[in-house]
Amino acid sequence: MTKVIDGRRIAKEINESLKARVENFINEYKITPKLAVVMAGGDPASLFYVKMIAKSCERASIDFEKHSLPSETTEEELLKLIENLNKHKKVSGIIVQVPLPKHINQERIQEAVNPCKDVDCFNPINMGRLALGKPEFLPCTPYAVYELMKRENIVVEGKHTVIVGRSNIVGRPMALILLQKKQYANATLTICHSRTNDLSYFTRQADILIAAVGKPEIIKRDMVKEGAIIIDVGTNEVGGKLVGDVAYEEVLDKASIITPVPGGVGPITNVMLMQNTLKAAGNLVVSE
Ligand code: NDP
């Protein structure tokens, strides 16, 4: 019988304990952790996502502040805002919502975020720390997968994990997280991407398969091993419906454990952002 992981339940559980820790933090230090979100231009997907972040903040008792700039904002103006937020004592975490308008160098902006407040883990210093196995923050989506695996007691050590996707947001940091020398990591890994020849040759060997491609239902039934654990990070809109990278219905009875889309990894991601914001608030207190 396949176990279908309920990401909404896990997100709720994490949030309950997080909210209690935030409230303890507020009582102890008389500071409310605050997340500042910066966006430029009115990208509809970004607007929706920022609304979800605001809700997550509310649920975790974390303050939320939105800086919504017009699309003609210059790079220098954006850098100035980041500099102010970096210095601001009440701001614990900063995220810069992408995409930014085309005339703005996204990497330059992300690098400008103080690594201590970089709760999205986009600053190269934080990604470098993760690559060295000494992370300060974990990027929220692969962090959500890691947390889900821990909570469902999915032991990676001793198994063959195949990750499809090597983006800086999901696939690559996912690999780095699972390579750490610690419990629920110590993975033996294969990473596939668009230049992989014969993708199914690799996916069929996966005891644990993590799909982070962004191609609806690219992982078909004949591409997975009997009894595999399947984590689907993909979120693709098809005809107004959200579908994953895994052909869920046809793969379901072949997997031992599977995450659905929607309702799998997605709901956990924003809670991990809240967790990083509390950690950042703690770092600020220690550094004072
Ligand atoms: P990217 O487009 O940045 O990366 C996709 C990766 O998949 C790339 O490494 C690419 O290879 C690889 N790829 C593309 N086509 C193929 C193929 N045919 N065979 C094998 N590999 C392929 O996407 P993201 O990593 O940002 O996102 C991946 C998915 O995860 C998306 O559906 C996205 O919506 C979802 N997502 C979900 C989140 C959540 O909270 N649940 C949060 C973030 C993303 P190459 O490097 O060679 O181009």
Side-chain angles (χ1 to χ4, degrees), residues 141 164-167 170 193-194 212-215 218 233-236 266 269:
T141 303
V164 191
R166 59 172 166 181
S167 74
V170 192
H193 44 78
S194 70
V213 190
K215 297 258 159 79
I218 186 174
V233 182
T235 47
N236 312 288
T269 303

Side-chain angles (χ1 to χ4, degrees), residues 12-29:
K12 207 164 165 244
E13 283 169 11
I14 302 172
N15 191 62
E16 272 162 21
S17 74
L18 174 69
K19 188 169 188 258
R21 283 191 289 131
V22 171
E23 281 161 5
N24 286 340
F25 183 91
I26 296 170
N27 284 337
E28 187 166 347
Y29 299 109

Side-chain angles (χ1 to χ4, degrees), residues 15-288:
N15 191 62
E16 272 162 21
S17 74
L18 174 69
K19 188 169 188 258
R21 283 191 289 131
V22 171
E23 281 161 5
N24 286 340
F25 183 91
I26 296 170
N27 284 337
E28 187 166 347
Y29 299 109
K30 313 290 172 234
I31 300 166
T32 303
K34 182 189 268 191
L35 178 64
V37 178
V38 177
M39 58 188 299
D43 176 61
S46 290
L47 286 168
F48 175 76
Y49 182 59
V50 170
K51 256 193 196 165
M52 303 291 285
I53 294 176
K55 274 194 188 155
S56 300
C57 283
E58 198 183 321
R59 278 197 283 263
S61 300
I62 286 176
D63 281 350
F64 170 82
E65 178 178 288
K66 184 168 89 173
H67 297 266
S68 195
L69 306 175
S71 52
E72 49 298 349
T73 304
T74 65
E75 196 168 301
E76 294 316 313
E77 283 166 337
L78 202 47
L79 286 169
K80 187 78 203 149
L81 171 63
I82 303 282
E83 198 186 312
N84 288 337
L85 295 172
N86 281 342
K87 284 191 212 143
H88 205 302
K89 286 195 171 166
K90 289 198 169 152
V91 172
S92 332
I94 304 167
I95 67 171
V96 180
Q97 188 56 38
V98 293
L100 291 168
K102 285 203 168 59
H103 62 276
I104 293 178
N105 181 335
Q106 196 167 300
E107 274 180 27
R108 196 169 165 223
I109 301 296
Q110 286 169 339
E111 284 174 22
V113 174
N114 180 343
C116 300
K117 297 189 177 188
D118 174 35
V119 287
D120 246 349
C121 196
F122 282 161
N123 187 299
I125 291 180
N126 283 325
M127 195 54 110
R129 283 185 183 142
L130 174 59
L132 294 173
K134 296 181 178 359
E136 183 60 43
F137 297 108
L138 299 179
C140 301
T141 303
Y143 190 6
V145 173
Y146 182 52
E147 193 61 35
L148 174 155
M149 289 169 115
K150 282 205 288 194
R151 283 170 183 262
E152 295 298 317
N153 199 26
I154 296 173
V155 177
V156 169
E157 188 169 334
K159 298 194 182 116
H160 181 197
T161 300
V162 176
I163 300 173
V164 191
R166 59 172 166 181
S167 74
N168 289 341
I169 298 176
V170 192
R172 194 179 299 256
M174 187 76 252
L176 294 172
I177 291 171
L178 294 181
L179 275 179
Q180 292 176 100
K181 288 188 181 177
K182 63 192 286 191
Q183 213 193 354
Y184 292 103
N186 288 317
T188 303
L189 279 179
T190 299
I191 303 168
C192 302
H193 44 78
S194 70
R195 305 300 175 97
T196 300
N197 278 338
D198 196 358
L199 179 63
S200 61
Y201 168 80
F202 296 98
T203 57
R204 275 198 304 267
Q205 295 177 45
D207 300 313
I208 300 172
L209 178 62
I210 303 176
V213 190
K215 297 258 159 79
E217 304 193 339
I218 186 174
I219 307 291
K220 309 284 186 208
R221 184 178 173 85
D222 62 352
M223 293 169 75
V224 304
K225 181 164 138 178
E226 195 74 49
I229 294 169
I230 299 179
I231 313 284
D232 191 353
V233 182
T235 47
N236 312 288
E237 214 187 298
V238 179
K241 260 183 71 184
L242 215 55
V243 298
D245 289 343
V246 176
Y248 182 82
E249 291 301 334
E250 56 178 76
V251 166
L252 185 60
D253 70 335
K254 221 177 164 188
S256 58
I257 300 178
I258 194 164
T259 63
V261 177
V265 176
I268 310 172
T269 303
N270 276 353
V271 192
M272 304 328 288
L273 177 62
M274 300 302 117
Q275 193 131 301
N276 279 348
T277 305
L278 176 61
K279 186 176 186 338
N283 290 350
L284 286 180
V285 168
V286 170
S287 70
E288 276 197 343

